Amino acid sequence: NAGVTQTPKFRVLKTGQSMTLLCAQDMNHEYMYWYRQDPGMGLRLIHYSVGEGTTAKGEVPDGYNVSRLKKQNFLLGLESAAPSQTSVYFCASSYSTAGGADTQYFGPGTRLTVL
Amino acid sequence: QKEVEQDPGPLSVPEGAIVSLNCTYSNSAFQYFMWYRQYSRKGPELLMYTYSSGNKEDGRFTAQVDKSSKYISLFIRDSQPSDSATYLCAMSFNTNAGKSTFGDGTTLTVKP
């Protein structure tokens, strides 16, 4: 099993450009998440999905959009990149169980720089 | 005020030391308590989790939860240079909500 994979690993954008980050998981997990991690600020939840075709806003959703057309894939889009979106982006997935722990499996991250 | 507060560190200890990493939280509804380890330039990986109060041991690692004080700890015995990483605590509810609240992490360096 590959677990959680993210594409691309690195990207440099100019202000105003758009891009899509792809996350894929092969564990048949229901829940998927997108986080950003900045120095001294921990993990901040951008958007998440509790199942195919559903998405919800997290803590810092502005400037991002997501889609979950297939259970195994979760896409994060930046329509008009800004320097404030320079960060490391992590995707994660977890298996939903009634009354179970939300143990998340993380991808390796995408390092995005917006100039 | 954040729901989950983690000792910010950084923490530097000699090899073989006992390390204590701590988090406090404000929401008494949290039931599951997780610890993740994140090596530099990698994604977090789950170390262990506990349900409700009590201790859980896994090799050199012990997770402790005190729900009455809203305080959790991760102890590392006989620390090794390979334990050098950022440790993140996380908590979730006992429902099908599927969403955790993370601490900001404590960076640990174990010096040989």
Side-chain angles (χ1 to χ4, degrees), chain A residues 10 31 33 35 37 40-43 45 48 50 90 94 96-109 111, chain B residues 2 32 34 36 38 40-46 49 51 86 88 92-100 102-105:
Chain A
F10 304 92
Y31 292 6
Y33 314 83
Y35 295 92
Q37 188 175 41
M41 301 192 76
L43 287 167
L45 183 64
Y48 65 102
V50 300
F90 288 103
S94 67
S96 70
T97 58
D102 178 44
T103 52
Q104 297 186 16
Y105 294 80
F106 284 82
R111 294 185 173 274
Chain B
K2 291 183 178 181
Y32 287 95
M34 284 72 71
Y36 290 83
Q38 184 177 21
S40 180
R41 304 181 78 85
K42 302 287 186 184
E45 57 178 342
L46 180 71
Y49 74 90
Y51 172 69
T86 296
L88 301 155
S92 66
F93 303 107
N94 189 26
T95 64
N96 206 15
K99 198 154 62 72
S100 294
F102 285 83
D104 287 348

Side-chain angles (χ1 to χ4, degrees), chain A:
Chain A
N1 287 351
V4 179
T5 58
Q6 292 183 231
T7 309
K9 289 185 170 51
F10 304 92
R11 187 71 186 268
V12 178
L13 289 179
K14 294 181 179 178
T15 297
Q17 287 185 318
S18 63
M19 77 164 294
T20 300
L21 283 68
L22 171 64
C23 176
Q25 52 95 3
D26 61 2
M27 296 173 283
N28 202 34
H29 284 171
E30 289 291 337
Y31 292 6
M32 296 187 75
Y33 314 83
W34 276 108
Y35 295 92
R36 60 178 289 173
Q37 188 175 41
D38 303 291
M41 301 192 76
L43 287 167
R44 292 187 289 169
L45 183 64
I46 304 170
H47 286 280
Y48 65 102
S49 168
V50 300
E52 181 178 320
T54 71
T55 62
K57 293 180 180 180
E59 182 185 352
V60 288
D62 293 343
Y64 305 94
N65 56 76
V66 287
S67 64
R68 183 102 181 264
L69 298 180
K70 293 182 179 180
K71 185 177 183 178
Q72 63 268 34
N73 295 338
F74 196 28
L75 278 64
L76 178 71
L78 286 72
E79 289 187 348
S80 180
S84 61
Q85 294 177 306
T86 293
S87 188
V88 181
Y89 291 86
F90 288 103
C91 176
S93 69
S94 67
Y95 179 69
S96 70
T97 58
D102 178 44
T103 52
Q104 297 186 16
Y105 294 80
F106 284 82
T110 295
R111 294 185 173 274
L112 175 65
T113 301
V114 182
L115 302 176

Side-chain angles (χ1 to χ4, degrees), chain B residues 2 6 8 29 43 51 61 77 80 82-83 88 91 109-111:
Chain B
K2 291 183 178 181
Q6 187 166 359
Y51 172 69
F61 298 87
R77 291 186 301 279
Q80 302 295 310
S82 59
D83 296 326
L88 301 155
M91 306 174 189
T109 301
V110 181
K111 296 185 176 180

